[in-house]
Structures are given as structure tokens and as C-alpha cells.
Amino acid sequence: MSARSNWEGHNMKTFINMLRDDSGASAAEYALILAIVGAGIAVAAFALGGSISGAMTRAKTCIDSSGGTAQPTCAAAAAGAGGA
């Protein structure tokens, strides 16, 4: 009987020590930071993807409409789009 109660006391001490142990907290914090940074990169990629796609579409339209020669209207449109 005393061996069993001794074993239960050992389990309780182990459980309490596990509750007090915070060595895994830093790994969880790093994982949270990585998740936030990853989400920020994803949002930036979506935002910049639309902007870059629009600029490429405007450039293609200018090239197609001018027959491959530089036109003042396309240069003005490209300069205006660069500030946006």
C-alpha cells in the first residue's frame, strides 16, 4: 500500500513540475511570430501582385497599340502610374 501511495506522490510531483516548466514557451512564441510574419508576407504578395499585374497590363497595351514604337501617351501613362 505504501508503494502505491509513494508512486502516486511521484506522479503528482512530476505533474506539478511539468506545469512549472516553461522551456517550451519560447518555441511556441517563435511559431507565433513566424505565423504573423508569414501572414504579412502573404498579404503583401497579394497587394503587390495586383499592382504589378496592372502595370504589366498597361505596358502591354501601350506596346500593342503603338506597334512597338514609343508613343508620348504611353510614356505619360507610365509616369503617372509610377507614382500610384
Side-chain angles (χ1 to χ4, degrees):
M1 189 82 148
S2 68
R4 182 178 173 143
S5 64
N6 189 16
W7 177 251
E8 289 173 355
H10 177 69
N11 283 341
M12 184 57 83
K13 287 180 185 177
T14 303
F15 181 71
I16 291 171
N17 287 338
M18 284 175 36
L19 289 177
R20 290 182 181 163
D21 185 20
D22 63 350
S23 62
S26 60
E29 291 165 358
Y30 285 129
L32 182 61
I33 290 169
L34 286 174
I36 292 170
V37 169
I41 290 172
V43 168
F46 281 118
L48 292 176
S51 178
I52 292 171
S53 176
M56 292 297 174
T57 301
R58 286 189 299 276
K60 180 186 179 306
T61 302
C62 284
I63 292 169
D64 289 345
S65 68
S66 66
T69 59
Q71 299 292 325
T73 57
C74 287

